[in-house]
Amino acid sequence: MTGSTHGQPYAVPVPKGYRVGRWEVREPLASGAFATVYAARNTLPGAELPPSAALKFLPTGTRTPRQLHHLRELAEREVELLKRLRAPRLIRMHEALTVEDPDHPELDGATVLVLERAEGSLDILLDQAPAPASGPALLAQICEGLNQLHHAGWVHGDLKPGNVLLMKDGSVRLADFNTAAELEGTHAYSPVFATPDYTPPELLWPEVSERGTRIRPTADIWAYGVLAHVVLTGTYPLPGSTTEARADAAMRYARGAEELRLSPRLPAVWQQIIADCLSPTHQQRAAHDTVTLLRRVEEAAGVTGSARLPRLRPRRWRRPALVTAVAAALLAGAVTVTYAIMRDDGPSYGYHRCPFRSVCFFSEQNGNGDMCAWEGDDPDWLSGRETCMWTADRPVRSIFYNGDESTGLGGVAYFRGRDYTPVGEDITRPNSRMRTGCTSQHAQGNLAGTYAPLSHRLIEHCGDSGDRTPSTEPEKSQDPSP
């Protein structure tokens, strides 16, 4: 997706003032081969949705049957990822809609993603200021987003400056996930579409099955190496004045017929990072995953290290049915599109924000929304050194205890009252030390959201017969609220 629409036709022309749900279309922001993004105004502002957003129109209701199938697949991939993954470095989707407008057949049936509004994209910044001074810090955030994506078991598949968005506060979001793919073991399957300058040699002429191209996380590692070289020097790492020439150079490099000649303007530490990312084979690149890469990049950029992501439970993989909620919603003419989750065990990815050795409480289910985190007990959330002020008037809806097993503290008990005091329904709960609930280490918990705890403490076990009695029950969060 390019950050500028000047001088090129829109993939999906939408008139200014057009209404989709509560959103009124304003000026175009960006356009690519398959979609166009417009600024939008919320005509029914409220607490749930922001006053402005970006609408991404994908023409899933028009075109030929073959094009329609392809575009629906792209839309399904992006909506599914954005529904399931909430992370600080990934663009957030507020809702997904389907246009119902037979009077405008070019728009009828289109999928519309309502996204966070960004101020611009990295490609626009690079056009205005090649090798910007903020480049290293931006690269650290981009790498953090890539690590969040890989940690959740997804491959981006099209990392490039046009798919890196810059927010009003200067932070970075990765975007455009219509070619993203979820790993099935060591591989994922992506549509046959990529940007050659950011594609590793083994995928420039890939084998294509009926499920698409087999890709691995190392494809994103290569793309990150190219992007880092472009951001820091304003040039591509492989020679050639055209995309085709650079692709040929990449193939010769992979065969050992050409050496990698990185810009001499790169500091030595960045030279080594980029050289590792641009290792000629998948096997060589596999030694540099985003976990280790992120720490190296943050050190090279001189920025504070990001929070460690929680260890996730092993997951059983199962292939989803081909008919998803998108297809059903389109056929039924539904407005709001929802998606079935493809794997149903292990913590949802929103919990990734919880730092290691901490317990975190969230304002939305599945670890989303506002978060408060502690490494120890807190007898009063609304006063003292660490506070969680949003709980003064909003309930807690989910919990994640990203604890350290070596401490021997296997659970966190939480209470409606300050100083670990039972209040209201806590008093009536049997066999629970009169606490509101308890969450075990590395366990997730969604709550009914009818109250806000005001204190918590770490305990040995979440046993039903007492806080320090080992429990044989499955790990869960206890919520007595109706």
Side-chain angles (χ1 to χ4, degrees), residues 11-12 34-36 57-63 67-68 71 106 109-111:
V12 188
F34 304 112
T36 301
F57 283 79
L58 296 110
T60 47
T62 58
R63 310 290 179 94
Q67 289 174 322
L68 179 59
L71 290 169
E106 72 283 2
T111 297

Side-chain angles (χ1 to χ4, degrees), residues 253-312:
Y253 167 61
R255 294 194 299 265
E258 183 162 327
E259 295 183 358
L260 186 65
R261 298 182 182 90
L262 301 180
S263 171
R265 289 180 287 169
L266 285 173
V269 64
W270 283 106
Q271 286 259 2
Q272 190 57 57
I273 289 173
I274 293 174
D276 289 341
C277 290
L278 298 182
S279 297
T281 67
H282 151 72
Q283 290 79 6
Q284 291 170 300
R285 263 175 272 129
H288 310 288
D289 61 15
T290 52
V291 176
T292 56
L293 180 62
L294 176 58
R295 299 309 172 203
R296 295 171 64 191
V297 167
E298 288 175 334
E299 184 177 350
V303 300
T304 303
S306 54
R308 174 177 172 178
L309 300 183
R311 183 175 60 192
L312 302 185

Side-chain angles (χ1 to χ4, degrees), residues 417-436:
R418 296 177 171 87
D419 298 313
Y420 325 119
T421 303
V423 173
E425 293 184 24
D426 289 347
I427 297 175
T428 66
R429 295 196 73 245
N431 302 323
S432 66
R433 299 280 186 179
M434 296 184 294
R435 64 195 179 214
T436 297

Side-chain angles (χ1 to χ4, degrees), residues 4 73 227 290 308 325 356 362 373 415 437 470:
S4 173
E73 181 186 1
L227 185 146
T290 52
R308 174 177 172 178
F356 183 53
F362 304 88
F415 304 80

Side-chain angles (χ1 to χ4, degrees), residues 236-260:
Y236 289 102
L238 290 163
S241 59
T242 65
T243 296
E244 292 77 11
R246 290 188 291 270
D248 289 341
M251 297 298 288
R252 293 195 302 272
Y253 167 61
R255 294 194 299 265
E258 183 162 327
E259 295 183 358
L260 186 65

Side-chain angles (χ1 to χ4, degrees), residues 369-415:
D370 292 325
M371 178 186 80
C372 289
W374 292 268
E375 289 193 7
D377 304 341
D378 191 339
D380 187 348
W381 287 12
L382 301 183
S383 65
R385 184 172 62 86
E386 294 181 284
T387 60
C388 189
M389 299 309 296
W390 57 263
T391 60
D393 53 17
R394 279 189 288 161
V396 168
R397 295 185 181 275
S398 57
I399 302 170
F400 185 72
Y401 181 21
N402 189 21
D404 183 350
E405 295 175 357
S406 66
T407 65
L409 298 174
V412 55
Y414 42 95
F415 304 80

